[in-house]
Amino acid sequence: MLTIKTFSFLSFILLILSACGPSKEEMAHHTETTSWSEMMKIHDEVMPKTSEIVSLYSDLKKVNPQIIATNELRLEVQETIILLEDAEEAMFAWMNQLKNLKELRSQKTHEEVMIYLKQETQKIESIRNQMLTALERGYHIKNKLAL
């Protein structure tokens, strides 16, 4: 049978143990920070590729359409220029509309922040794919044109 002393001692130990662990707010903060970092890792992976996109775009824009042998290839060059331009614009549009984590935390609940970060992660993944596709296509066309 528990005595009052034993009960008090166990209650005191439980109180200390519960005080030692992270709070719910700290856990939410950690989860948000981790999600933000994962999203920004994707951004940081592809952001440097914008200079490649700009370079390819510039190279293809300089090509005189009259020296391109076929209408099919001419159309392919034009479509690739548009892909490159759209990919670069998508990255900058995403960056310009992205809310910083401090701002999010002040305006939204933890659940809302996590939903926002999930949506933005999906957007930057899509932009990464768009950029990589545009680059692949740009280099392919550049090689076809022997630039």
Side-chain angles (χ1 to χ4, degrees), residues 16 54 83 85 91 97-98 104 110 113 116 123 128 132 141 143:
I16 289 175
V54 170
L83 281 175
E85 184 176 35
M91 173 58 89
Q97 64 80 40
L98 184 67
L104 286 171
H110 169 67
V113 169
Y116 177 84
K123 287 178 189 176
R128 174 185 56 196
L132 294 176
I141 292 298
N143 288 338

Side-chain angles (χ1 to χ4, degrees), residues 87-101:
E88 182 198 17
E89 286 177 5
M91 173 58 89
F92 287 106
W94 180 82
M95 290 187 323
N96 286 330
Q97 64 80 40
L98 184 67
K99 294 180 181 172
N100 69 50
L101 193 51

Side-chain angles (χ1 to χ4, degrees), residues 99 101-109 112-113:
K99 294 180 181 172
L101 193 51
K102 185 176 180 180
E103 178 185 356
L104 286 171
R105 286 177 174 147
S106 71
Q107 297 173 352
K108 298 181 180 288
T109 66
E112 291 170 331
V113 169

